[in-house]
Amino acid sequence: MSLKIKENNTTFFIEGSINASTANQFKNHMEFLILYKKELTINIDNVAAIDSSGMQVFRDLYKTAIANNKKFVVVGYGCKEIFQDFETSVAA
């Protein structure tokens, strides 16, 4: 399944699946946005699935945002699980 990224009022709405076949492109696009915007809000309401490659991308984006002192927010259905993963991976 392809991945679509749409922006509305500084929030990026993701549609599709974030998996091994889409993760690299998603990561490259979001890293660019982290570097050139003050903050990045990602809405995952329309994400059908996130596999382990997708979760690794979210971990990497989180670390990139912290390293560049940028605000990084994930909202939508499933965001709680992503942030729980962040807490676990940062503590490790």
Side-chain angles (χ1 to χ4, degrees), residues 21-88:
S21 64
T22 61
N24 193 42
Q25 181 183 7
F26 177 68
K27 180 180 177 183
N28 290 340
H29 189 71
M30 293 296 116
E31 281 182 338
F32 174 82
L33 293 171
I34 287 172
L35 295 176
Y36 291 99
K37 294 198 171 274
K38 292 180 183 179
E39 62 183 64
L40 180 61
T41 301
I42 299 173
N43 183 304
I44 60 168
D45 272 337
N46 292 316
V47 172
I50 302 173
D51 72 2
S52 60
S53 297
M55 284 305 299
Q56 184 60 49
V57 167
F58 278 104
R59 284 184 217 107
D60 292 345
L61 293 173
Y62 181 67
K63 290 174 187 175
T64 299
I66 290 172
N68 288 280
N69 200 29
K70 302 289 178 99
K71 184 177 177 183
F72 179 69
V73 179
V74 179
V75 297
Y77 183 76
C79 66
K80 181 179 176 183
E81 290 80 3
I82 291 173
F83 279 104
Q84 287 173 338
D85 182 84
F86 289 169
E87 290 175 348
T88 303

Side-chain angles (χ1 to χ4, degrees), residues 1-6 12-17 26 46-47:
M1 176 180 238
S2 67
L3 194 62
K4 294 180 183 178
I5 303 170
K6 299 177 183 177
F12 291 85
F13 293 83
I14 313 304
E15 296 178 18
S17 296
F26 177 68
N46 292 316
V47 172

